[in-house]
């Protein structure tokens, strides 16, 4: 069955550094992959989408890469700020559906 | 403002007392779904609806019911709540036609406690 893996351990980094989060998946070839941000007690908010034929996508301080051979996406936040502290979820369509399934998320903590 | 709304935001109830959590979206989205989120388990889909009068089970449908009589509304019904349904619930919607993206728009969440 399809598995989506994100590091369950929180990522702690210092303000100003680049945060890199990983999303690995198995047993499927998704047409796209999405990244969402979730703050405690609130609903996830869409950040970026990258399609299978794209290697990299950028939006302001965010960068996403998508390696369909490794079945992996990397999510980077450059010049991180304490306000970037949140849980980041990756999501991708699994099985025969084009509706995304979510990973469990990785918590990012940016220390001032 | 484009949004998904849920009510109530917080609910404490007792075992066996039927309850309904409402969900409404104003974006004319065809696809709507319900998730529950529990620590360590992430978001798990309960039910989804591809359009009016079309609903289907997600990954964890036991103990829940849904209906989709209007495009904008997708209520979640717990006929006989039990303590293991204590969770944070999210409603989400997306434009079903946009298969290349399917961005999910989430509501603010409903924190349910069943005693």
């Amino acid at each position: 069955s399809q598995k989506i893996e994100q590091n369950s351990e929180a990522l702690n980094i210092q303000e100003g550094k680049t945060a890199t989060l990983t999303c690995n998946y198995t047993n499927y070839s998704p047409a796209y992959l999405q990244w969402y941000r979730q703050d405690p007690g609130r609903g996830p908010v869409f950040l970026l989408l990258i399609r299978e034929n794209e290697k990299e996508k950028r939006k302001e301080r965010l960068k996403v890469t998508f390696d369909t051979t490794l079945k992996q996406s990397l999510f980077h936040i450059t010049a991180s700020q304490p306000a970037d502290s949140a849980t980041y979820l990756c999501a991708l369509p699994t099985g025969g559906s084009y509706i995304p399934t979510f990973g469990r998320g990785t918590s990012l903590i940016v220390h001032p | 403002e484009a949004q998904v709304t849920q009510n109530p935001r917080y609910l404490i109830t007792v075992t066996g007392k039927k309850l309904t959590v409402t969900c409404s979206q104003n974006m004319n989205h065809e696809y709507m779904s319900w998730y529950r989120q529990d620590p360590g388990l992430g978001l798990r889909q309960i039910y989804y609806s591809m359009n009016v009068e079309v609903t289907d089970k997600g990954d964890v449908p036991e103990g829940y019911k849904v209906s989709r009589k209007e495009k904008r509304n997708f209520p979640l019904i717990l006929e006989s709540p039990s303590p293991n349904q204590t969770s944070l619930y999210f409603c989400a919607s997306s434009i079903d036609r946009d298969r290349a993206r399917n961005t999910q728009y989430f509501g603010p969440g409903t924190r349910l406690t069943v005693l």
Side-chain angles (χ1 to χ4, degrees), chain B residues 43-90:
Chain B
L43 279 166
R44 294 182 292 168
Q45 192 177 54
I46 302 170
Y47 268 94
Y48 64 93
S49 169
M50 302 295 278
N51 214 325
V52 175
E53 301 292 2
V54 181
T55 63
D56 210 343
K57 296 177 181 178
D59 299 318
V60 287
E62 293 77 21
Y64 304 95
K65 282 177 56 177
V66 293
S67 69
R68 187 91 180 272
K69 297 190 188 324
E70 305 166 281
K71 197 171 188 178
R72 62 183 293 126
N73 296 322
F74 190 44
L76 179 69
I77 303 156
L78 285 71
E79 294 269 2
S80 183
S82 62
N84 65 10
Q85 293 177 298
T86 293
S87 187
L88 180 58
Y89 290 86
F90 291 104

Side-chain angles (χ1 to χ4, degrees), chain A residues 33-46:
Chain A
L33 188 145
Q34 299 172 334
W35 284 89
Y36 290 76
R37 169 184 173 140
Q38 186 176 23
D39 292 287
R42 306 187 72 165
V45 175
F46 171 78

